[in-house]
């Protein structure tokens, strides 16, 4: 039982960052219908930016996180503006090929700049774990969970309560009518892509100090993000948040009770099972943005 | 006209080992040919049925592992049963590898074609990743990350004639070339038949295709079986040629390589994967003298984006169009000015 | 009216209703088409014509009621199975295999006529080569019938608009229909193109093809129909000859609205 | 107020408008009638910048607006209430109205205008927190009209406001549109329900296959046999 509680706590902490990844991708893939293979790369980018700001430039840890998130937003918006804007309305294959190309370029640029050796980032948190009954957690991980939850809440408020959020939802539901309302739908798409990318970068920036930063970290992150989005239902932000926690839980259980080698297989099995038996996602009935 | 051209190209490739003495270049061509074969099979799905299958490397790797294990033998225990297999000749491995990969094509096709578009892509990628993780973790069978070394090279021949084992690169070159020619003919016949037309119809307009009586799943699955089998066979050739395989064979980048070959050459054309395969088989050899692998990949990625923007149909259709325009122009000069060829 | 009373009926629509959530697209629809007849289904925008058409062709399943063709119920059949019964449709907007040649379009349309076997195809056996040659002959025949044989080598998308619509019909004809369902075939055509289209329809009728037409072009509908079925707010408000329909007050009201005065 | 000269629009190979000219004077209600596919909706979409004009010009208060973006045209004072209502089905009634005034900066007045709309349509006021997709067809039409009014337009265009609505709701909708005109907003309306539209308008145009074939005061067109022919086909009816 104690063991189980510990796993649950671990899953909760990973789930927060998975939820960020998933919400970011559900905006891009679920709503804009871009099969975004660069999503994981933006996650890796966020981690590298964290390394750059916190270690190379020696900035304050918290400021470095904020800068890394902003950098992710800028890169994401740039990708949309340069590569996707002129292809809007093109079939899904076309944009997918562009995104695969962009993924290869981004990943290898990272290797070129930072080398293939993993980097580590020190956090200002004490090394001694926090103990809560049978569960012990490192304080940096608890910090990560809280920041992730705050970012999820901020995204929710942005989309549901602000004028920009209303314009985004109007554009997703019916872009030509939204244009009739005076909304610059092109700009909305760029902003949405930037926002989704910022969330991926946030996940990377937060996990960078927990694990290490390596060029290949993006590959699995992309596919896991797809699993989360599919689990939650396309374009469903609440679904993606839950999807993130479910995936983290499935991985934790898979790793501890089946075999640690199959931890990463859980996401793929979820994708295959959900798509084949419940293609609209588990949370299809709940509210949707787009 | 085009038949003569095809035969000339074939004659050229037949002559290559006669004058190309550098073994490294020959080796490059053999590997290039194997990937070209896989790209040709991917083209069936990606080009002719229009289904972007990004798990193609799974069929390639399954073929490689099945053939390697058939010819190496193995011993595993499943649920307390001990299964032991004694080594068989590599030729049987090639057949089995193709068959198992084809069967996987059938099963995955049956399942994955229940979803379309982006979902299909994600299911295929996931399938390949699951297979990779199995190859990595089922150490008893696959030796995991430690690789399967010592795979015997192909041995051809019959009892009364005697056997020839393909140790040399030249011999392997001819074997791969033979497979490419056979595959080319098979795909050509398929495409020019009602079967291939049904696949193309599904790519162009699925609803319209069903309205003239074409069954969607039947023809998509058929394409997946052919694609799986051919990719599986190319995997077996790879295993027996390189003689060592490890789970890295399932890397997503290998699928991307095949996709780039097809897209650059021209998806949905017979010659597309051949041209694309040659370019991307040979380009690394030239580029490696100047830049590192990362820069190479950056160039490939950028090229892929560029192709989508500038030459979305690929090289082969562009050349064909240029050629037909040129001939139309000369015909126009010869005869009275008529309607020029339009694209 | 039941199908029993109309022994000649080849296609019958009985008590069909279609609901989308709370919205009733079709409330209760009953009509039939006799062998060799040309029936037009008309109605103002939003009357439910497209829904009716999709139900009849098996692209949508009705909430209740049944559609039967030659006595076989279409319930639960997939579109390609409906086609194999001989009930073939065209599409409202130009719907062709755009990127391939006109001739290959028709070859694809001939899918139902193929007798090629897979292994024979791969080995290029004489039987399959003969079957392919026969298929090609039939494709030429259809192109000639429709009148676009001189454009056989063109890309489908490169044809003038009117010819694209003709090719759409050629595709449907290639699927060997005993009844042809045309969805707004002349919309967007100019007068000459419409004229050619009417000629084609007359040719098909002389070969005994049954036709159900959904169309907005009233002059054409009035000219070629044997019988017209008028749909409004998801129910049939009139069923009769063109002359009867044109003078039916309910039809006039459906089309022109409730007016204070009357012409 | 609005003047169109020789407008030509194409969708790919199909020419939808073949040189359409019309005038909408200030404070009037002008209708465009014609059979399906005549090019009525395309005309409105061209005015609001959703469809590019191949040639010709559109002038609004003397200013050339051809080629302007949809948001620029809206900010000049032309609102477009699209065919089929097109409310944002997953947003609430209130949010739909708020999106309608997306371009406005005068936040203080917006509250007032929303209250005004709710005063006009009490049924919407009762349902202000309801998701728009769950409203009935008539309520959605009210919402679409209210949303278009939220931008405080000088000219408001309605595309088939009666489409798919029950007859009693149709007459109610037409009353609202007349009310809008009477309150001083110019109206350009596309309508299939020809008799009712011609009855309520100041001036009407008949479109046939992308060309203007007839124009005049509404009561004149009502009695013109050409209108009936345009809908039901020529020949037989008079034979």
């Amino acid at each position: 039982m104690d063991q189980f509680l510990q796993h649950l706590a671990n899953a909760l902490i990973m789930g927060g960052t998975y939820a960020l990844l998933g919400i970011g991708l559900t905006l891009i893939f679920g709503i804009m219908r871009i099969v975004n293979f660069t999503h994981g790369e933006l996650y890796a980018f966020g981690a590298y930016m964290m390394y750059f700001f916190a270690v190379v430039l020696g900035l304050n840890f918290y400021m470095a996180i904020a800068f890394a998130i902003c950098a992710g937003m800028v890169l994401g918006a740039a990708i949309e503006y340069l590569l996707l804007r002129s292809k809007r309305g093109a079939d899904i294959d076309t944009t997918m090929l562009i995104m695969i190309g962009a993924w290869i370029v981004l990943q290898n640029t990272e290797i070129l700049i930072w080398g293939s050796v993993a980097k580590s980032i020190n956090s200002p948190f004490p090394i001694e774990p926090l103990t809560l009954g049978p569960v012990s957690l490192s304080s940096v991980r608890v910090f990560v969970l809280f920041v992730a939850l705050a970012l999820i809440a901020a995204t929710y408020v942005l989309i549901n309560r602000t004028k920009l959020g209303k314009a985004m939802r109007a554009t997703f539901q019916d872009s030509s009518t939204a244009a009739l309302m005076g909304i610059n739908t092109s700009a909305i798409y760029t902003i949405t892509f930037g926002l989704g990318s910022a969330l991926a970068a946030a996940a990377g920036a937060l996990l960078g100090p927990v694990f290490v930063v390596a060029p290949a970290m993006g590959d699995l992150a992309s596919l896991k993000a797809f699993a989360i989005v599919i689990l939650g239902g396309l374009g469903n932000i609440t679904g993606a948040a839950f999807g993130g926690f479910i995936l983290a839980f499935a991985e934790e259980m898979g790793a501890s009770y089946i075999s640690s080698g199959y931890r990463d297989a859980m996401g793929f099995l979820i994708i295959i099972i959900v798509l084949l038996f419940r293609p609209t996602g588990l949370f299809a009935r709940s509210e949707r943005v787009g | 006209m085009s038949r003569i051209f095809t035969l000339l190209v074939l004659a050229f490739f037949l002559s290559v080992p006669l004058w190309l003495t550098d073994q490294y270049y020959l080796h490059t061509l053999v590997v290039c040919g194997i990937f070209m074969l896989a790209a040709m099979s991917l083209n069936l799905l990606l080009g002719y049925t229009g289904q972007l299958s990004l798990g193609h490397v799974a069929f390639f790797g399954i073929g490689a592992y099945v053939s390697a294990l058939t010819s190496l033998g193995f011993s595993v225990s499943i649920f307390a049963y001990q299964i032991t297999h004694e080594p068989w000749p590599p030729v049987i491995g090639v057949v089995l590898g193709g068959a198992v990969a084809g069967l996987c094509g059938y099963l995955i096709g049956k399942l994955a074609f229940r979803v379309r578009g982006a979902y299909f892509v994600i299911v295929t990628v996931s399938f390949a990743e699951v297979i990779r993780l199995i190859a990595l973790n089922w150490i008893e069978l696959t030796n995991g990350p430690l690789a399967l070394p010592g795979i015997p090279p192909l041995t051809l021949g019959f009892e009364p004639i005697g056997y020839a084992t393909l140790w040399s690169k030249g011999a392997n070159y001819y074997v791969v070339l033979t497979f490419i020619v056979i595959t080319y003919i098979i795909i050509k016949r398929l495409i020019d038949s009602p079967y291939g037309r049904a696949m193309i119809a599904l790519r162009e307009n699925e609803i319209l295709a069903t309205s003239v009586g074409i069954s969607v799943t039947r023809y998509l699955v058929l394409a997946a079986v052919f694609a799986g089998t051919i990719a599986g066979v190319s995997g077996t050739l790879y295993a027996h040629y390189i003689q060592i395989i490890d789970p890295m064979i399932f890397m997503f980048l290998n699928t991307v390589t095949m996709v780039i070959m097809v897209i650059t050459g021209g998806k949905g054309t017979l010659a597309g994967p051949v041209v694309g395969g040659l370019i991307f088989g040979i380009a690394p050899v030239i580029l490696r003298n100047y830049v590192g692998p990362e820069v190479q990949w950056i160039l490939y990625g950028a090229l892929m984006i560029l192709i989508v923007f500038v030459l979305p149909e690929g090289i082969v259709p562009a050349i064909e169009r240029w050629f037909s325009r040129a001939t139309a122009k000369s015909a126009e000069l010869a005869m009275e000015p008529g309607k020029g060829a339009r694209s | 009216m039941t199908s029993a009373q109309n022994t000649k009926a080849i296609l019958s629509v009985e008590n069909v209703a279609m609901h989308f959530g709370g919205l009733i697209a079709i409330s209760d629809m009953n009509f039939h088409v006799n062998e060799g007849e040309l029936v037009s289904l008309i109605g103002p925008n939003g009357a439910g014509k497209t829904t009716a058409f999709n139900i009849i062709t098996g692209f949508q399943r009705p909430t209740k009621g049944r559609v039967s063709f030659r006595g076989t119920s279409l319930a639960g059949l997939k579109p390609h199975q409906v086609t194999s019964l001989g009930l073939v449709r065209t599409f409202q907007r130009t719907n062709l295999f755009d990127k391939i040649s006109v001739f290959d379009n028709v070859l694809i349309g001939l899918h139902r006529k193929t007798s090629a076997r897979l292994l024979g195809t791969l080995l290029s056996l004489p039987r399959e080569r003969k079957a392919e040659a026969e298929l090609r002959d039939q494709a030429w025949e259809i192109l000639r019938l429709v009148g676009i044989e001189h454009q056989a080598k063109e890309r489908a998308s490169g044809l003038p608009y009117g010819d694209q619509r003709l090719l759409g019909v050629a595709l449907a004809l290639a699927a060997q229909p005993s009844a042809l369902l045309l969805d707004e075939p002349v919309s967007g055509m100019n007068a000459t193109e419409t004229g050619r289209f009417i000629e084609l329809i007359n040719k098909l009728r002389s070969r005994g093809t049954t036709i159900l037409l959904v169309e907005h072009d009233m002059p054409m509908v009035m000219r070629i129909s044997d019988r017209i079925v008028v749909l409004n707010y998801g129910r049939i408000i009139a069923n009769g000859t063109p002359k009867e329909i044109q003078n039916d007050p309910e039809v006039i009201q459906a089309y022109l609205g409730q007016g204070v005065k009357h012409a | 107020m609005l003047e169109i000269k020789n407008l030509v629009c194409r969708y790919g190979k199909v020419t939808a408008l073949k040189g359409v000219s019309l005038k909408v004077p200030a404070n009037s209600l002008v209708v465009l009638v014609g059979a399906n596919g005549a090019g009525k909706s395309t005309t409105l979409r061209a005015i609001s910048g959703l469809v590019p004009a191949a040639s010709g010009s559109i002038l609004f208060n003397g200013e050339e607006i051809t080629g302007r973006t949809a948001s620029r045209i809206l900010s000049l004072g032309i609102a477009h209430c699209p065919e089929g209502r097109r409310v944002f089905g997953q947003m609430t009634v209130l949010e739909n109205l708020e999106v309608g005034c997306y371009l406005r900066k005068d936040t203080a007045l917006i509250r007032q205008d929303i209250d005004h709309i709710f005063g006009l349509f009490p049924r919407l006021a009762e349902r202000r927190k309801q998701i728009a997709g769950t409203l009935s067809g008539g309520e959605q039409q009210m919402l679409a009209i209210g949303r278009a009014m939220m931008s405080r337009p000088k000219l408001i265009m309605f595309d088939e406001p009666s489409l798919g609505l029950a007859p009693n709701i149709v007459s109610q909708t037409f009353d609202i549109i007349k009310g809008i005109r009477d309150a001083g907003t110019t109206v350009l309306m596309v309508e299939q329900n020809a008799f009712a539209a011609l009855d309520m308008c100041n001036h009407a145009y008949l479109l046939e296959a992308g060309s203007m074939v007839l124009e005049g005061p509404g009561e004149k067109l009502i009695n013109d046999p050409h209108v009936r022919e345009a809908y039901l086909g020529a020949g037989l009816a008079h034979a």
Side-chain angles (χ1 to χ4, degrees), chain B residues 4-259:
Chain B
I4 297 171
F5 181 71
T6 313
L7 289 175
L8 279 175
V9 170
L10 184 61
F12 170 78
F13 281 110
L14 277 170
S15 76
V16 167
L18 304 178
W19 49 265
L20 188 70
T21 44
D22 187 320
Q23 290 297 295
Y24 173 69
Y25 287 146
L26 205 52
H27 164 77
T28 307
L29 281 179
V30 174
V31 176
C32 162
I34 291 171
F35 270 88
M36 191 190 288
L37 205 51
M40 287 165 84
S41 72
L42 177 62
N43 189 33
L44 261 182
L45 287 173
L46 204 154
Y48 288 110
T49 66
Q51 302 294 324
L52 196 49
S53 158
L54 289 187
H56 211 61
V57 80
F59 301 124
F60 184 77
I62 286 170
Y65 266 96
V66 167
S67 192
L69 290 168
T70 307
S71 48
L72 285 172
F74 56 85
S75 175
V76 290
S77 57
I78 301 172
F79 301 120
Y81 290 101
Q82 191 69 26
I83 298 171
T84 306
H85 164 72
E86 295 301 324
W88 283 352
V91 176
I92 298 178
V94 172
V95 175
L96 276 181
V100 173
L103 184 69
C104 286
Y106 176 81
L107 295 174
I108 285 302
K110 274 275 182 201
L111 284 175
F113 285 126
R114 288 164 62 172
V115 292
R116 267 323 125 63
Y119 287 131
F120 175 79
V121 173
I122 293 165
V123 170
T124 54
V125 175
S126 303
F127 163 69
E129 281 295 311
V130 169
I131 300 286
R132 180 181 71 89
L133 288 167
I134 292 173
L136 197 61
N137 288 296
W138 196 356
I139 291 170
E140 198 183 8
L141 181 70
T142 64
N143 225 11
L146 295 176
L148 280 177
I151 303 165
L154 274 181
T155 302
L156 299 177
F158 296 100
E159 201 67 68
I161 313 169
Y163 296 94
T165 301
L166 306 182
W167 295 104
S168 82
K169 303 209 182 316
N172 275 289
Y173 176 90
Y174 283 115
V175 168
V176 171
L177 186 61
T178 310
F179 272 102
I180 289 175
V181 170
I182 293 171
T183 302
Y184 188 91
I185 293 171
I186 285 179
I187 294 178
K188 182 170 166 42
R189 286 188 177 161
L190 197 65
I191 291 315
D192 290 340
S193 79
Y195 293 92
R197 282 197 295 266
M199 292 172 195
I200 292 171
L202 289 170
R203 172 191 76 195
E204 289 293 309
N205 189 331
E206 196 172 308
I207 292 176
L208 184 60
T210 60
S211 87
V212 295
I214 294 169
S215 155
V216 182
T217 36
R218 180 161 176 228
Y219 290 96
L220 291 187
V221 170
L222 184 71
V225 170
F226 268 90
T229 309
I230 297 167
V233 168
S234 67
T236 65
L237 297 179
Y238 181 83
H240 293 292
Y241 175 66
I242 301 289
Q243 296 175 20
I244 177 167
I245 51 168
D246 69 9
M248 291 288 274
I249 200 173
F250 292 102
M251 264 192 328
F252 185 53
L253 270 185
N254 282 337
T255 299
V256 172
T257 307
M258 297 172 200
V259 171

Side-chain angles (χ1 to χ4, degrees), chain D residues 120-233:
Chain D
L120 272 179
F121 307 114
R123 289 186 65 80
L124 293 183
E126 292 162 24
R127 291 168 165 69
R128 67 175 70 202
K129 294 279 175 207
Q130 196 171 322
I131 299 294
T134 61
L135 298 177
S136 74
E139 289 161 353
Q140 288 191 11
Q141 184 64 64
M142 305 298 144
L143 180 56
I145 294 173
R147 187 182 60 183
M149 288 168 71
M150 282 306 293
S151 65
R152 293 201 161 190
K154 301 188 185 92
L155 168 71
I156 182 162
M157 303 192 293
F158 293 101
D159 195 348
E160 305 267 2
S162 75
L163 183 72
L165 297 180
N168 60 327
I169 310 283
V170 170
S171 61
Q172 210 180 321
T173 306
F174 286 153
D175 286 343
I176 292 165
I177 292 171
K178 274 187 277 187
I180 291 172
R181 187 255 326 256
D182 296 342
T185 307
T186 311
V187 176
L188 172 61
M189 180 169 90
V190 156
E191 186 50 66
Q192 248 208 117
N193 195 334
F195 281 141
L198 292 174
D199 194 40
M200 68 192 267
C201 72
N202 301 98
H203 199 84
Y205 291 86
L206 175 66
L207 260 176
E208 221 177 86
S211 306
M212 273 317 169
V213 291
L214 202 62
E215 66 160 307
E219 55 270 28
K220 190 181 140 220
L221 262 69
I222 284 188
N223 293 312
D224 196 312
H226 205 120
V227 174
R228 195 171 141 163
E229 282 170 20
Y231 281 83
L232 284 177

Side-chain angles (χ1 to χ4, degrees), chain D residues 30-117:
Chain D
V30 172
V31 301
L32 267 177
V33 294
N36 225 317
K40 299 174 306 228
S41 295
T42 307
T43 309
L44 297 196
R45 292 171 65 80
I47 296 170
S48 57
L50 291 181
V51 177
S55 69
S57 75
I58 305 169
L59 299 168
F60 183 62
N61 287 331
E63 189 185 342
E64 176 77 51
I65 59 166
T66 326
R68 296 281 172 83
T69 62
S71 95
R72 178 83 186 108
I73 290 167
L74 177 68
S75 67
L76 286 173
I78 302 181
H80 180 164
C81 186
E83 181 177 356
R85 305 180 277 283
R86 307 279 284 270
V87 297
F88 298 111
Q90 281 135 6
M91 296 166 84
T92 66
V93 168
L94 186 61
E95 284 174 333
N96 266 277
L97 294 179
E98 285 167 349
V99 171
C101 53
Y102 180 74
L103 287 179
R104 283 173 59 181
K105 304 275 186 280
D106 47 347
T107 353
L109 287 174
I110 286 176
R111 282 293 126 203
Q112 214 176 307
D113 285 1
I114 287 179
D115 289 340
H116 174 67
I117 301 284

Side-chain angles (χ1 to χ4, degrees), chain A:
Chain A
M1 189 60 203
D2 289 357
Q3 196 64 31
F4 179 78
L5 282 177
Q6 179 66 49
H7 289 314
L8 203 61
N10 292 346
L12 195 63
I13 289 194
M14 273 314 287
T17 37
Y18 279 2
L20 281 183
L21 263 184
I23 293 171
L25 190 66
T26 215
L27 291 171
I28 295 169
F29 171 51
I31 294 174
M32 296 173 63
R33 297 294 153 132
I34 303 287
V35 185
N36 183 13
F37 280 100
T38 65
H39 201 65
E41 236 27 73
L42 274 143
Y43 162 80
F45 177 76
Y48 272 110
M49 283 295 109
M50 183 68 194
Y51 172 78
F52 175 71
F53 288 119
V55 178
V56 179
L57 296 185
L59 293 185
N60 169 291
F61 183 79
Y62 306 100
M63 248 165 76
I65 292 179
F67 282 154
I69 294 174
C70 292
M73 179 176 298
V74 171
L75 179 62
I79 289 173
E80 203 282 339
Y81 190 81
L82 295 174
L83 300 180
L84 298 174
R85 181 169 279 225
S86 62
K87 293 285 170 199
R88 192 161 302 136
D91 57 14
I92 204 159
D93 295 8
T94 306
T95 52
M96 186 168 357
L97 292 172
I98 294 174
M99 294 321 275
I100 294 175
W103 162 66
I104 298 171
V105 171
L106 284 177
Q107 186 172 59
N108 287 282
T109 309
E110 262 155 24
I111 303 177
L112 202 63
I113 295 173
W114 306 106
S116 43
V117 181
K119 311 276 184 202
S120 63
I121 303 165
N122 290 326
S123 76
F125 294 96
I127 297 163
E128 309 83 69
L130 297 169
T131 332
L132 277 165
V135 177
S136 85
L137 293 167
S138 71
S139 42
V140 63
R141 286 182 176 234
V142 176
F143 165 76
V144 164
L145 176 64
F146 280 107
V147 176
L149 290 177
L151 286 171
I152 293 168
T155 309
Y156 188 85
V157 169
L158 171 71
I159 289 189
N160 286 297
R161 298 278 180 269
T162 66
K163 187 173 176 183
L164 175 64
K166 279 173 202 147
M168 286 167 74
R169 282 150 65 209
T171 305
F172 304 150
Q173 286 172 34
D174 185 341
S175 67
S176 85
T177 306
L180 280 181
M181 304 295 127
I183 295 167
N184 181 348
T185 50
S186 280
I188 293 289
Y189 283 121
T190 309
I191 291 169
T192 307
F193 206 97
L195 177 63
S197 303
L199 293 174
L206 289 172
L207 285 185
V210 176
F211 303 120
V212 289
V213 185
M217 65 191 284
D219 294 0
L220 279 173
S222 272
L223 292 166
K224 285 181 183 177
F226 279 120
I228 295 162
V229 171
I230 287 167
L231 204 53
L234 292 194
N236 185 334
I237 290 181
T238 322
F242 281 108
F245 287 101
I246 294 175
L247 177 65
F249 183 72
E251 283 190 359
E252 189 70 25
M253 293 299 133
S256 37
Y257 296 107
I258 303 172
S259 152
S260 63
Y262 288 105
R263 170 186 282 270
D264 292 329
M266 301 311 288
F268 306 119
L269 290 176
I270 285 176
I271 289 178
I272 293 171
I273 292 166
V274 172
L275 278 187
L276 298 180
F277 298 103
R278 186 91 200 253
T280 46
L282 292 181
F283 294 88
R285 269 155 193 270
S286 51
E287 160 232 19
R288 269 197 190 190
V289 193

